[in-house]
Amino acid sequence: MRHVTTPLTAAAAFLAAALALVPAPAAAQQAGALGPEALGFTKHFAVEIANPTPLTLENQAVILDVAEIRAAVAPDFNTYMYALFTVSKDEYGLVVSQADDLDKDRYHDQIALVRTLPPNSTTRLLCYYTPARSWPQVITTQKAFARGAWEPGGAEAGWESNLAAFKLVRGRVGLYGKLQAGLILRTFPAAEAKDRDWGQELLQADDKAGLGGFSVWDGATRIPLYGPAAPQAKVTVVSPGPIRGLVKAEYPTVKTAAGDVAVTVYYSAFADNIYSRQDVVVASKAGAVILGPALAGLEGETFGLDKAKGTLWSWGRGAGRAEIGLAAVFSPSELEGSDDAGANHALRLTARSGQPLTFWTAGAWAKGVTAPQPADARAWARRAGDLAARLLAPVKVEFKSK
């Protein structure tokens, strides 16, 4: 899927549900109309998404900040009755999106969507809304999911796209390989313990960081926030999809010589993508904190760090001697250093208090749907570099009144 767009002429159920909100006389008059106003929308603004690079950014995750929308163009923007559209030759196409409430205060903070952005292009969408009404949920194919513990009182949480699945167990990030595209986490824990027609778990359940368990540094001392000895984070499922599966983990306060450090991480997976995105927010009187993800060392591995591209990658054998690749993508400007001590390959990144730090992790299985071709270390290193180029592309979003 390059992007999710539903022509209004084909969305009969969508129109019926929307027109049900319109008073009967108006609905009768508008039954033949297909513009957004016929669906009960009264206001609109434009969203322009610029890709200034020569790359085709396929299935690019785009996040719209609701506070920025209200400050820039629409103070009365209502996230409970809005819809995004493409417009071509006076025909409207519904762009499936998802509004998320990050802090569970019943006010949405972000809108997530996935679009393919052509090279050197600006994609223009129209956002229609009505200030004081609610909108029925538009049913669409679910390609992302998130959930809490497998069993009551368990330490797990999981998030996935249709291509890759991840779990968090006491700060350690696990990885599942899929044989075909689809969602799998709803069936756990039973599916973890039986013959797996969907794929398999790719990392051993051990004391290593897995795929992105991270640490905070107190000077030269590394303080891991993963493993059996690490305090358990408070985990909340922010959104179960369908476009972004999103989990929030609030870690216990970390004591450092410069003062206490509070760490909150948003773990997410987007439809039609292989990576897990981590947005880390720290609060510290020191202002800047050194932290970063680690990749667990693999048996017989080849690994590399490309500081210019912003990639740390490895290829070797994981659980059940499966041939797998692990990767982390980061902004080169945020790299302070690396640490290969012990059983993990760790990145040291600079996080500033109150400013989100974003990095990504990804994995592949030689037998799985996301396998590089050929399935070897060199091809996986190329895949990591290509992924970094896409994720680090300076995509810009602007909101305009018309």
Side-chain angles (χ1 to χ4, degrees):
M1 181 188 80
R2 289 184 177 272
H3 51 253
V4 181
T5 304
T6 304
L8 290 186
T9 54
F14 173 77
L15 281 169
L19 288 173
L21 297 176
V22 183
Q29 294 175 0
Q30 296 169 355
L34 296 177
E37 290 84 356
L39 306 179
F41 294 111
T42 59
K43 296 185 176 184
H44 72 275
F45 58 90
V47 180
E48 293 189 350
I49 309 166
N51 171 20
T53 76
L55 304 173
T56 296
L57 304 181
E58 188 170 2
N59 294 321
Q60 188 80 354
V62 178
I63 297 175
L64 311 182
D65 187 280
V66 173
E68 288 184 13
I69 292 173
R70 291 179 177 143
V73 292
D76 58 352
F77 178 56
N78 177 15
T79 57
Y80 286 96
M81 187 170 179
Y82 83 93
L84 291 161
F85 298 92
T86 58
V87 184
S88 177
K89 297 180 180 180
D90 296 326
E91 293 186 1
Y92 290 83
L94 174 68
V95 177
V96 178
S97 63
Q98 172 182 314
D100 289 328
D101 173 10
L102 301 186
D103 52 10
K104 296 297 183 181
D105 62 357
R106 298 186 180 181
Y107 294 94
H108 296 124
D109 303 287
Q110 295 179 345
I111 294 172
L113 61 144
V114 173
R115 295 290 298 179
T116 291
L117 307 179
N120 301 303
S121 70
T122 297
T123 297
R124 182 178 172 87
L125 307 177
L126 293 182
C127 183
Y128 280 78
Y129 71 100
T130 300
R133 292 171 65 180
S134 60
W135 176 251
Q137 182 179 2
V138 178
I139 299 175
T140 185
T141 301
Q142 183 158 14
K143 291 192 173 184
F145 178 63
R147 58 165 294 176
W150 299 178
E151 297 175 339
E156 312 91 348
W159 62 102
E160 67 176 321
S161 72
N162 52 317
L163 298 180
F166 313 89
K167 70 174 176 179
L168 184 71
V169 183
R170 294 197 176 277
R172 177 186 175 278
V173 180
L175 173 67
Y176 297 100
K178 299 183 180 184
L179 291 170
Q180 58 274 323
L183 302 178
I184 62 173
L185 292 181
R186 292 183 189 276
T187 63
F188 287 8
E192 284 189 300
K194 68 178 183 180
D195 291 340
R196 304 175 178 100
D197 56 359
W198 54 262
Q200 71 174 68
E201 190 166 1
L202 298 178
L203 290 170
Q204 304 283 1
D206 52 29
D207 295 346
K208 298 180 183 179
L211 180 58
F214 69 95
S215 303
V216 173
W217 272 265
D218 181 9
T221 303
R222 184 173 66 89
I223 306 172
L225 299 187
Y226 58 85
Q232 174 70 4
K234 176 187 175 182
V235 179
T236 305
V237 176
V238 175
S239 176
I243 296 167
R244 170 172 69 169
L246 180 59
V247 170
K248 178 172 70 172
E250 298 169 273
Y251 286 85
T253 299
V254 179
K255 302 289 186 180
T256 73
D260 291 352
V261 179
V263 181
T264 300
V265 186
Y266 295 89
Y267 298 90
S268 57
F270 290 83
D272 293 311
N273 282 282
I274 70 169
Y275 59 80
S276 168
R277 171 170 166 156
Q278 281 73 244
D279 295 290
V280 184
V281 181
V282 300
S284 170
K285 292 182 178 179
V289 178
I290 303 300
L291 57 78
L295 305 181
L298 302 175
E299 182 183 350
E301 70 177 359
T302 301
F303 73 94
L305 171 63
D306 192 321
K307 298 179 181 179
K309 290 183 178 179
T311 61
L312 173 67
W313 63 271
S314 65
W315 182 268
R317 290 186 293 276
R321 299 185 65 78
E323 284 191 85
I324 65 172
L326 306 178
V329 172
F330 58 91
S331 173
S333 65
E334 293 163 347
L335 181 65
E336 192 274 337
S338 61
D339 184 352
D340 286 318
N344 303 282
H345 310 294
L347 294 170
R348 292 164 53 91
L349 307 175
T350 301
R352 292 172 176 80
S353 185
Q355 300 179 22
L357 168 69
T358 300
F359 54 84
W360 301 261
T361 57
W365 177 29
K367 296 181 180 180
V369 68
T370 61
Q373 297 299 324
D376 59 25
R378 182 176 297 181
W380 178 240
R382 285 196 302 269
R383 170 80 68 82
D386 292 344
L387 182 63
R390 180 164 72 85
L391 294 174
L392 297 173
V395 172
K396 184 177 181 181
V397 177
E398 289 188 315
F399 307 109
K400 298 186 176 180
S401 57
K402 292 191 178 180

